[in-house]
Amino acid sequence: MKFNIWTLLFQIINFVVLLYILRRILYKPIREIIEKRRGLIAKTVEDAEKTKKEALELKEKNQKELNKVKELQNQMLEQTREEALKDRSKLLDEANKEAAKINEKEKALIDAEKIRIELELKNKTLEMVSVFASNLLKDISDEELHRSIFRKLLKENGKIVSDISKIKGKEEILNIELFTAYPLPLDDVKTFKETLESQLAKKVKMNTTIDETLIAGVRIKVYDMIYDSSLAGQVNALASQLRETR
């Protein structure tokens, strides 16, 4: 193959012309495209940086919000814990108060039961003592002791007369019930009756009844008033006084 210099020159010239044409026609648009792409890339990078910055700011803001939420949660937990402790303390106080009330009630019941038992024991003891004293007095009492007690009553009948005088009865005859442990001599009964009539200025009717449970002495009933000078009455009166004492 034969080398042709003119052909080579012609091709070189065509290539240069082509480059010139390409430069004139394509270089500027391509450069503009490249510049646009470069600007777009720069803008994209800038936007990316901006987005990254905003993302970091948002992350920091979210972190702050998260910290606030955690702090609020901690505060709420602490408040809930304090309220729970207060409620627990309140419940414990109420339980203690209720327990104290129950203890007081139980103590009051125990004290009441103790007093009841002591009173019952005391009454039983007094009852036994009264029975014992009555039996003992029965063994040592006699008709002479009985008359002695009645004569003493005759000498000290001022209270009977005074109490009867305070009752202004309209009846003409005053009925008096006389209960005696032993039969009384008619003279003694007559003397007692006449003494009352003289001091009361009123007719007296004396109804006499034998009551051996009196042991010795007499019991007199006028209206609703009772005057008991018998040994049994004295024993019962003493037992009643002892019951009332603590």
Side-chain angles (χ1 to χ4, degrees):
M1 183 175 177
K2 187 178 180 180
F3 179 75
N4 190 346
I5 188 66
W6 294 106
T7 301
L8 178 60
L9 290 173
F10 181 76
Q11 289 178 347
I12 292 171
I13 292 171
N14 286 337
F15 180 72
V16 170
V17 171
L18 180 60
L19 288 175
Y20 178 76
I21 292 171
L22 289 174
R23 185 175 183 279
R24 294 288 296 177
I25 296 173
L26 298 176
Y27 177 72
K28 186 175 180 181
I30 290 172
R31 185 176 179 183
E32 289 177 354
I33 290 172
I34 292 172
E35 289 295 329
K36 286 182 179 179
R37 290 190 66 182
R38 184 179 298 167
L40 183 60
I41 291 171
K43 188 174 183 306
T44 301
V45 172
E46 184 181 353
D47 291 341
E49 290 293 333
K50 183 177 179 182
T51 302
K52 182 180 179 181
K53 183 179 179 181
E54 290 177 352
L56 290 174
E57 291 177 352
L58 182 60
K59 181 180 179 181
E60 184 178 356
K61 182 178 179 181
N62 290 337
Q63 187 62 40
K64 290 181 179 180
E65 292 295 331
L66 183 61
N67 292 336
K68 289 182 179 180
V69 171
K70 288 182 178 179
E71 184 179 355
L72 182 60
Q73 287 179 344
N74 292 332
Q75 291 178 356
M76 291 177 66
L77 287 173
E78 186 65 24
Q79 184 177 359
T80 303
R81 189 180 294 109
E82 290 178 356
E83 290 177 354
L85 290 174
K86 288 180 180 179
D87 291 339
R88 180 184 176 187
S89 178
K90 184 178 179 181
L91 290 174
L92 288 175
D93 290 340
E94 291 177 353
N96 290 332
K97 290 179 180 179
E98 189 66 24
K101 289 181 180 179
I102 293 174
N103 289 334
E104 289 179 0
K105 289 181 180 179
E106 291 294 333
K107 185 177 181 299
L109 290 174
I110 292 173
D111 291 342
E113 184 65 14
K114 180 180 177 182
I115 292 173
R116 186 190 69 79
I117 293 174
E118 290 177 350
L119 183 59
E120 183 177 351
L121 181 61
K122 180 179 180 181
N123 290 335
K124 289 289 184 182
T125 303
L126 289 174
E127 183 179 349
M128 293 174 61
V129 171
S130 297
V131 172
F132 177 77
S134 297
N135 292 332
L136 180 63
L137 289 173
K138 284 180 182 178
D139 292 337
I140 65 175
S141 65
D142 55 15
E143 193 168 355
E144 184 61 32
L145 176 62
H146 168 72
R147 292 178 181 177
S148 175
I149 295 173
F150 182 69
R151 292 190 188 100
K152 182 179 179 182
L153 175 66
L154 293 178
K155 294 178 181 179
E156 300 175 355
N157 63 353
K159 178 172 175 53
I160 299 175
V161 173
S162 176
D163 291 341
I164 295 175
S165 299
K166 293 177 182 178
I167 300 175
K168 299 183 181 300
K170 296 181 179 180
E171 67 278 357
E172 296 180 358
I173 299 176
L174 178 63
N175 291 309
I176 295 179
E177 299 290 336
L178 177 62
F179 300 91
T180 175
Y182 292 92
L184 290 171
L186 294 177
D187 291 340
D188 290 343
V189 176
K190 183 179 179 181
T191 300
F192 182 50
K193 176 182 175 183
E194 291 175 350
T195 300
L196 292 178
E197 288 178 340
S198 173
Q199 294 178 349
L200 294 172
K202 183 177 289 191
K203 194 72 175 176
V204 174
K205 180 180 180 181
M206 192 77 64
N207 300 313
T208 305
T209 303
I210 304 298
D211 186 356
E212 295 180 356
T213 61
L214 298 178
I215 303 175
V218 297
R219 180 184 295 135
I220 299 171
K221 181 179 179 181
V222 184
Y223 298 121
D224 292 332
M225 298 178 294
I226 295 177
Y227 303 90
D228 198 338
S229 64
S230 66
L231 293 182
Q234 294 180 33
V235 170
N236 292 332
L238 179 60
S240 297
Q241 291 179 2
L242 292 176
R243 286 191 186 95
E244 294 175 357
T245 58
R246 291 182 178 270

